[in-house]
Amino acid sequence: MTLDLLRHGEPEGGRLYRGNLINDPLSEKGWQQMQASTHGKHWDFIATSPMRRCQAFAQYLSEKQHIKMQVFDALKEIGFGDWQGRSAQEIGQSKVDQFKQNPLENQPLGAENLYDFQSRVLSVLEKTTQQHTNSSVLIVAHAGVIRVIKSHLLNLPIEKMFTIEVPSASCERFKL
């Protein structure tokens, strides 16, 4: 099985901790980024987050290339609690850095539990890989979701997930 992980492109409003509540659409630049990173590629199945910054492009790709698509609520970004809708500058870069270094001890107030987040994301990965064993699958999601999946595939502890860089509109392939 071939698995590609595509992060959404730049949303309207710039860089924020949107989490699972702020549902901004892609900016024009975000659309261009995603089109560039998927150009010339094709998949048998697309799994996507329901957030507009993911689902709108997945729907476009599904219709353009006649690919079966399914929306999974469990692919929403992690809930960032009090940080949702705020920039790193508003939050304070030192707090953000502390969180990334040790997300279990430095979670934002009201944030989703990291292990719960991991569990919901990996449940979709498991279901998708079982149903599409001899296929190519594209998951369109968020940086946090992709970090969870990559941590799992690379056997990294979930506490280290924020050490993984996931640029906007990046598309990375794995052979499973």
Side-chain angles (χ1 to χ4, degrees):
M1 172 187 178
T2 302
L3 173 67
D4 284 1
L5 304 174
L6 173 63
R7 181 182 178 196
H8 63 79
E10 177 185 284
E12 289 183 4
R15 294 184 59 89
L16 300 173
Y17 282 86
R18 285 177 175 77
N20 58 5
L21 294 179
I22 309 300
N23 201 11
D24 293 327
L26 289 171
S27 65
E28 187 172 324
K29 178 181 178 183
W31 275 96
Q32 291 170 354
Q33 290 172 320
M34 293 183 82
Q35 287 173 328
S37 68
T38 59
H39 181 75
K41 298 176 182 173
H42 185 81
W43 297 272
D44 301 312
F45 179 76
I46 300 172
T48 185
S49 161
M51 305 303 285
R52 290 192 303 175
R53 58 194 183 268
C54 296
Q55 186 178 346
F57 186 79
Q59 186 72 45
Y60 159 81
L61 203 58
S62 171
E63 291 171 5
K64 182 181 175 194
Q65 295 189 10
H66 308 288
I67 304 168
K68 184 178 177 200
M69 183 190 90
Q70 186 173 351
V71 177
F72 292 92
D73 263 3
L75 291 178
K76 283 184 179 178
E77 180 63 287
I78 190 170
F80 283 110
D82 287 354
W83 290 8
Q84 296 200 140
R86 299 173 65 196
S87 68
Q89 184 178 9
E90 290 176 273
I91 296 163
Q93 192 60 52
S94 64
K95 284 184 182 178
V96 171
D97 291 342
Q98 289 171 351
F99 169 68
K100 288 180 177 181
Q101 289 169 7
N102 188 344
L104 296 175
E105 297 294 323
N106 298 295
Q107 265 187 287
L109 189 62
E112 181 177 5
N113 178 282
L114 194 60
Y115 294 114
D116 292 344
F117 176 57
Q118 178 188 40
S119 178
R120 74 172 162 88
V121 169
L122 293 182
S123 72
V124 173
L125 178 66
E126 183 178 333
K127 178 181 179 180
T128 303
T129 56
Q130 286 176 353
Q131 291 179 349
H132 302 279
T133 52
N134 295 316
S135 304
S136 58
V137 173
L138 174 66
I139 294 179
V140 182
H142 312 273
V145 170
I146 292 170
R147 286 181 176 116
V148 165
I149 294 170
K150 286 181 70 172
S151 294
H152 174 74
L153 295 175
L154 300 172
N155 293 313
L156 292 174
I158 196 63
E159 304 86 50
K160 299 294 182 193
M161 71 179 259
F162 289 100
T163 64
I164 299 171
E165 288 296 318
V166 185
S168 292
S170 59
C171 189
E172 192 169 357
R173 176 162 286 176
F174 295 86
K175 297 283 189 181
L176 306 182

